[in-house]
Amino acid sequence: MPGNLNPTDRRSRTQLWRARGDLRGPLAQVLADELVQLEQIQWGIDEFTLLLFGIDPRTESHLFLYGDSGSGKSTMLRGYIHEIMRRYEPGKARIFMIDYRRANLGEIPADYLGAYMTGHEQTTDSIA
């Protein structure tokens, strides 16, 4: 094994696989390792380390997205909603959605829905 890489260390295994050009091995192993330990809402896989990354909703309780039309905001929200439902039982998490275009209408089951706001007045009244 080259250098000081430790075969039992996850990052060392990733470095070794990357050096060999084998990307299938680390992805499968890293995902298996990380899924057990991850305490975050999963966002994806880091391009460099091939480790999962995300945010901890206990410390980052709000999400604000903005971007150009077609940039994937609604798709990202849909993924976030499903990740919350995967991680938390009904009643343990509530989702408050401000969605003027109604792009995610019907995406949030009643068990998880805190409020679904689709207009300025409704949003203002709900927040106040």
Side-chain angles (χ1 to χ4, degrees):
M1 183 169 255
N4 59 355
L5 298 178
N6 177 352
T8 61
D9 177 60
R10 187 176 9 165
R11 290 187 193 271
S12 292
R13 286 193 312 261
T14 301
Q15 289 173 0
L16 176 63
W17 286 322
R18 186 166 280 211
R20 290 190 324 218
D22 179 5
L23 296 180
R24 290 171 300 178
L27 182 58
Q29 184 61 48
V30 168
L31 284 175
D33 291 346
E34 290 296 307
L35 283 174
V36 173
Q37 300 174 19
L38 194 63
E39 294 292 329
Q40 301 174 332
I41 297 292
Q42 299 170 18
W43 287 100
I45 299 172
D46 184 278
E47 186 176 331
F48 179 71
T49 63
L50 297 179
L51 298 174
L52 293 174
F53 68 91
I55 63 169
D56 184 345
R58 296 169 296 182
T59 59
E60 305 277 344
S61 59
H62 295 85
L63 174 66
F64 179 76
L65 291 176
Y66 62 94
D68 292 333
S69 179
S71 63
K73 298 178 298 293
S74 294
T75 301
M76 206 303 280
L77 279 173
R78 201 169 295 115
Y80 191 70
I81 290 165
H82 287 276
E83 188 65 12
I84 289 172
M85 293 186 302
R86 183 187 70 78
R87 291 204 35 87
Y88 299 98
E89 297 175 10
K92 298 288 184 182
R94 293 188 320 171
I95 300 168
F96 294 81
M97 174 74 74
I98 302 170
D99 185 15
Y100 290 174
R101 288 184 34 231
R102 296 175 176 87
N104 288 296
L105 190 61
E107 214 42 61
I108 306 169
D111 292 347
Y112 291 93
L113 187 60
Y116 195 93
M117 297 153 277
T118 58
H120 178 73
E121 285 184 28
Q122 185 184 29
T123 302
T124 305
D125 292 345
S126 294
I127 292 175

